Amino acid sequence: MSPLGTEEQQVLEAVKEAVPTLRRNGMETEKQRWLLEENIELLEKAGVFRAAVPERFGGLDLPLAEQAEILQTIARGCGSTGWVSMVWLSSTWIVSLYPDRAQEEVFAGGSVRVSGGFTPSGTLTPVEGGYRLSGSWRFNTGVPGAQWNIHAAVAEHPDGTHEELFALVPAEDITIADDWDVFGAAGTGSATSTVKDVFVPAHRVVDASVYEAATGDRWNAEAKGRNYNLLSYIVATCAPVYLGIADSALELFAERVAGKPITYTNWTDQREHPYTQVTVGRAANQIAACEALSRDWLRVIQERADRGERLTVEEKATIRGQVGYVVEATKDAVQMLFDISSASTIVRSNHFQRAFRDISALSLHGLLAPTGSLEAHGRVLLGLEPGTDYL
């Protein structure tokens, strides 16, 4: 990773300073099933929501590795806040692939929060000047605090053909259900969003081809350094959240275990028990190994983008497989620490149990679940086709 510029370093330092507040707000964030306004204001003030906005609109336009470092730091404070921030940043980057007119509308303020429902559960009907959009999207993370939302939908054209398109809609055109009530990642506000017969102008609708990286017929094909492969970029921004939650769990365990006896034994300080020492060492090294893996794929993605080249199928499968492994390994590291924790760990005011539940819940995400990701990677390693279009 190259050294951070002054402004980028200021963002990261401000986020680091916010970590204790984000952690302290975790319990209340869970109760209201959405981020506390203080969390959003802290990150807004830090400049986080400018990170993926192009420089020409007053954004920071940070490279992927720097976005990842910021997201990992946020997740150290609060897994839900980290996950929402990831969605807002990655969806903001997606908007940079839209026509200039749409970018001018979305990026007018230089800082923006964009969410997205990427399951094509809506319909787009072609009309003069654009489309009429209707549909509902479940698990729409961050939509309660977003200013714009990207909706995947299927359009039926007059000739009978169908096409998956992505419509960009302002928040005021969206209805949000009160249906997010879960045991982990509870503060992400991943509610169902609904749009009913809303007009979307043509410049705010793109097809899947615009998501192809680096070259080809896209609005900003000549822009080197930020034309990442869509799926590789998405999973590479997700991984830091798991790493941040695992970092937090390790830190919290170490803080809490000091001087704590092991109940019903003669051990007066759990730190002195060899099994505790081995388990902490194993968990710490597992997390560190995942961080080393992440540095490698961040380098590969950025080098390809800087040269204006596409990732190979092998590289894309490797990135997805390694991210799947990170999801599995960080969850296992937190589980190890949980398994040697005292019973009082389950008290809701204990920050560790929230990290445990957050990473458990997020490990079930369909795109990131280890089994599918490792399968695609393993198939390519064995000389087979990846068996999925989601690379």
Side-chain angles (χ1 to χ4, degrees), residues 362-386:
L362 292 172
S363 71
L364 299 176
H365 190 287
L367 181 63
L368 300 155
T371 302
S373 299
L374 291 167
E375 178 191 353
H377 189 194
R379 287 179 62 88
V380 172
L381 289 172
L382 293 170
L384 302 172
E385 292 297 316

Side-chain angles (χ1 to χ4, degrees), residues 251-321:
E251 176 187 343
L252 290 165
F253 180 87
E255 287 176 358
R256 192 164 184 268
V257 77
K260 195 172 185 62
I262 302 177
T263 308
Y264 304 123
T265 75
N266 293 328
W267 293 93
T268 58
D269 187 339
Q270 188 180 353
R271 293 176 302 173
E272 298 294 335
H273 198 294
Y275 187 71
T276 300
Q277 297 159 6
V278 170
T279 301
V280 170
R282 182 173 288 122
N285 281 298
Q286 201 155 300
I287 296 166
C290 289
E291 290 178 334
L293 270 181
S294 75
R295 287 192 291 272
D296 191 52
W297 73 59
L298 291 169
R299 175 187 56 79
V300 170
I301 293 171
Q302 193 61 58
E303 286 178 354
R304 286 290 191 185
D306 289 344
R307 294 196 297 265
E309 298 172 353
R310 295 180 188 271
L311 290 167
T312 65
V313 171
E314 291 76 13
E315 287 169 335
K316 290 187 286 187
T318 298
I319 291 163
R320 182 167 172 197

